[in-house]
Amino acid sequence: MANGYAGKILVVDLSTGEISSLNTADYAEYGGGHGMGSAVFFDLCKDKTISAYDPANVVTLMTGPIQGTLAPFGAGRCEVQGIGPQPWPIEWFTRSNFGGRFAGMMKFAGWDGLAITGKAENPVWIDVRDDEVTIRDAGESGDALWGLGTYDAEQKIYKLVSGSDTDWTMFGGSRDSGRSTLNPAVVSCGQAGENLVRFASLIHEGGGGAGQGGFGAVFGSKNLKAVSFMGTGDIEIADPKALMDARAWWHANYFNWDEYKPSLPGLHSYGEGGGAGNMVGGPLKTGGHRPIGCMGCTKLCHGGRGSSAEAPGSSCFDSWYQAQAGVKWGNPAASVSNTDLLQQYGINAWEGSMALPWLVKLYRTDILGPGKQIESNLPFDAVGSDAFNKAFLDCIVNGTDIGADLKEGCARAATKWGRYDIDVTSGDLAIAAHGYAHHYDARTESEWGFGTALGDRDINEHDITWVLYWHTSMAPLYGQPQALPAKEMAEMIGATLLPYADPMMVDFSDEGIYSDNMVKFVSWHRAYTRFWKQSAMYCDWGITDWLNPWTEGYKGLTPELEPKFYNAVTGNDTSFEKGIEIGTKIWNLDRAIWYLQGRTPANDQLAEWQFRIGTPAAHSTYEIPYIMTVFENGEWSYKNVWGRFLDHAKYDDFLARYYKFEGWNDNGCPTGETLKKYGLDKAADELADAGII
Amino acid sequence: MAADEVITRAVLALPEEREARRYLQECSFDDRLVGVIMKASGTLPVDIYSIEQVLGFFAYDNSDVQGDPDAVIQGRRLDVAYLAPARLSRWIREIVGDAALADAIDAEAAWIEDPNIYPPRMRLMRELVATRVLQYYDVVGIRFAADGVQADDDAKLRKEQ
Ligand code: SF4
């Protein structure tokens, strides 16, 4: 049936070497991506209490109907799930996501997803060429990929698949029997994953990476170096004309390519030409650039490819990770080679970004260093230099010096060093929740912080933050008026929060962040992102389009955009609200899995510093504009909410009301009734069998 | 105001060598200054331990990349190195100890059209601090030579004592 799906999900058991498949249709009710991944994980991972490195852990790499099609900023996204070694104190069933062209190539090869279980006896890689799936020797006796950096492994696989030593790929036979001149799409772990660094990432084509969760180490634990897909097929979609019309509509409205409109007051659209990358002026300065982006996407936000060819496609925090320490030595431009090494090793930049200022603090306060309480011979007097960076990353990858503890992640290292309570209370170790680094702020942006606490990881969903922090804070900083008055802004966003359509949900006042409206908004946000961003898999940097300079009254394309492409490809009539409903179902399934893993309400807490301080305890407390919409004294306004901190009693009360709103019990676990309402009977039964509900 | 139009009016008398050496020292952890790199993809607090590091911090800023407020359209490529001006001058006064520089930072605000608009304010602060740090170097005999290796690298000065 022409509906965007390839029709089958590949299952590889590395212990037995067995290769099998599942019918996608059995999981299509979840849409794709995350929802399908959660459901497949639930079915294949029988004991959810196992550790991330247990061979029975199941790691899934999932696509959905729109991947590999012309749907903008969706074609290249791939969702990764499984029990991750990074979350703390429990290794949650968690997620990550990466772009590039891996998802599309998987679909072209005829697969909607891949589930990997078991553990190979020796290093292997999985080589998929259309229907042909081979588990190949990655060790010295075979293709000698083990021990290589991610870029090197990828390059080598290109040649192995093309069967030639040239840089030109020609795969397959005649045009009609399946042929391609593309390189295969490869995702691999680096030496960090091989050596079980808990925050090891999976890297695809330079800057594409599944960073959070530690899935590089899950690959390493399975003796799996890489997965490669080479596909020569295509994807049948339900209504090609509707898809082309949708693309033309988007093209005309999302970003006006012919009439660039830079002067709208205070408004910089989501739909701009380039995304999160720092191609201009950022730290990764490599001279001339060729922009890089994901399959089918016009935003090309992956940093770029510079003349040195190092760190291709790296952007955002990959290139910034050592900025916090780098200024110390007059090396503000985190060098390209530093980023290159990070990506080759396959290390999650976020953890490094959190670790460095904390370690520098320990060094400067005489707690860490030669002969100190925490023994280290790393050259901390040269933080920010290439030499320090290499020594720092080497010690993590090789488990030497403080790397022996740091490779377990900051939360575990701090616990071992007896520093956790001290440094997480002061905020010097800026963990937000679950051992993950602070990102956007729970104290100012509750949907981000509370959503993170209620889940498994830093949510990393830039939607409200883009419209109601970035736009609104940049405008006055540049002396420009806000794009819209606060009331109109709240009403415009509120109208899209279907099925509630309630502007009060974006009241970020001191009272508003604990209100029933925020309960509703956090719930909506968890569901929206679970389905539309992580299951349908529109890129987080593509949507949500809440404000748009090129439309009447600046009204963004959400909620029209999300179902438009999805339905053109699937032939379904999935409404925006239906997506929210499916998202709620997926959120409940995830929550059920976490309870099977041993979750309690204590795991929904945020780290203590967020309840104690509005700013770090430095001489000169930092202040930034953090301007959001608030409803106070019967009126909407923009207000700088920076500097406030959370209140334990109010937060606990929020949680209790949130649980109730979601249909969860007092312990925060979905009830049997709630799970059955969403058709999650198997989850209800498993929780009941375990005596949890 | 375009980036190349930064004009500072303050003329600071050269400090004594002893003073300059003191101003260049790093402060303790508790006395550090915290700036924030504002990026659309996340806010990044940055610890600053010396006046030289203030310059390193400002080097991240590209808020004036196009020389006018329209630069803001760069959106996600925009990196604002934010230091609240009053906090910076207080830190320079109380921790670095250079009251003349702190006074100059406060006074310069009076010369610009709207001191609350950050990019021109940041450029003025950056210019003042850079000029002053060069005075320190002059007084204590630190000689700088441009590497000239990376034309777009803000950190191209090499210390030669
Ligand atoms: S916005 Fe950037 S990360 Fe997202 S799909 Fe496009 S190129 Fe990829």
Side-chain angles (χ1 to χ4, degrees), chain A residues 245-465:
Chain A
D245 287 349
R247 180 98 185 183
W249 166 83
W250 166 77
H251 212 283
N253 291 290
Y254 183 74
F255 178 86
N256 190 331
W257 311 89
D258 301 323
E259 195 205 336
Y260 192 54
K261 201 185 272 189
S263 303
L264 274 175
L267 174 55
H268 1 110
S269 164
Y270 233 108
E272 63 182 53
N278 289 286
M279 290 183 281
V280 182
L284 198 60
K285 298 174 181 176
T286 58
H289 281 89
R290 181 154 62 84
I292 298 175
C294 304
M295 177 183 274
C297 186
T298 52
K299 299 183 79 157
L300 305 174
C301 77
H302 281 213
R305 190 182 297 277
S307 49
S308 75
E310 289 186 300
S314 295
S315 66
C316 202
F317 275 81
D318 301 338
S319 54
W320 280 89
Y321 93 96
Q322 65 161 354
Q324 285 152 297
V327 291
K328 180 173 179 242
W329 300 100
N331 181 19
S335 78
V336 183
S337 49
N338 286 351
T339 307
D340 198 75
L341 194 60
L342 181 91
Q343 305 286 43
Q344 278 270 22
Y345 282 161
I347 291 179
N348 175 5
W350 263 112
E351 192 76 4
S353 181
M354 172 167 68
L356 272 171
W358 173 55
L359 296 171
V360 168
K361 174 247 162 119
L362 295 176
Y363 170 74
R364 284 179 167 267
T365 48
D366 282 334
I367 293 163
L368 182 151
K372 297 285 173 1
Q373 187 188 327
I374 302 166
E375 177 68 33
S376 175
N377 291 306
L378 286 186
F380 273 96
D381 56 349
V383 168
S385 67
D386 287 3
F388 176 82
N389 184 63
K390 173 128 180 36
F392 177 62
L393 297 183
D394 279 350
C395 90
I396 290 171
V397 166
N398 300 319
T400 54
D401 200 274
I402 48 173
D405 297 325
L406 276 183
K407 74 192 278 275
E408 302 299 323
C410 290
R412 290 173 174 88
T415 305
K416 185 169 177 202
W417 296 342
R419 299 292 317 175
Y420 186 88
D421 286 342
I422 306 165
D423 292 337
V424 171
T425 301
S426 67
D428 294 333
L429 176 55
I431 284 171
H434 311 298
Y436 280 82
H438 167 244
H439 189 173
Y440 277 101
D441 209 302
R443 301 166 299 181
T444 46
E445 279 195 66
S446 22
E447 100 289 351
W448 192 298
F450 297 2
T452 292
L454 285 157
D456 50 315
R457 51 160 286 177
D458 171 51
I459 59 173
N460 203 23
E461 293 154 356
H462 307 75
D463 29 57
I464 275 295
T465 202

Side-chain angles (χ1 to χ4, degrees), chain A residues 474-529:
Chain A
M474 284 299 120
L477 214 57
Y478 277 78
Q480 298 189 43
Q482 295 289 355
L484 293 171
K487 182 170 184 285
E488 284 175 40
M489 178 77 97
E491 285 174 351
M492 193 162 84
I493 294 172
T496 71
L497 306 178
L498 303 173
Y500 309 111
D502 181 357
M504 293 305 293
M505 291 158 72
V506 292
D507 168 17
F508 288 90
S509 65
D510 295 353
E511 294 304 316
I513 60 169
Y514 302 110
S515 69
D516 287 343
N517 294 316
M518 193 55 68
V519 164
K520 215 160 58 173
F521 185 54
V522 172
S523 172
W524 179 90
H525 193 243
R526 301 314 318 123
Y528 170 76
T529 53

Side-chain angles (χ1 to χ4, degrees), chain A residues 267 467 471 483-498 501-503 506 545-549 551-559 636 638:
Chain A
L267 174 55
V467 183
H471 288 164
L484 293 171
K487 182 170 184 285
E488 284 175 40
M489 178 77 97
E491 285 174 351
M492 193 162 84
I493 294 172
T496 71
L497 306 178
L498 303 173
D502 181 357
V506 292
D545 195 42
W546 267 314
L547 268 175
N548 188 317
T551 58
E552 189 69 33
Y554 303 163
K555 189 188 170 315
L557 305 187
T558 292
W636 283 103
Y638 290 111

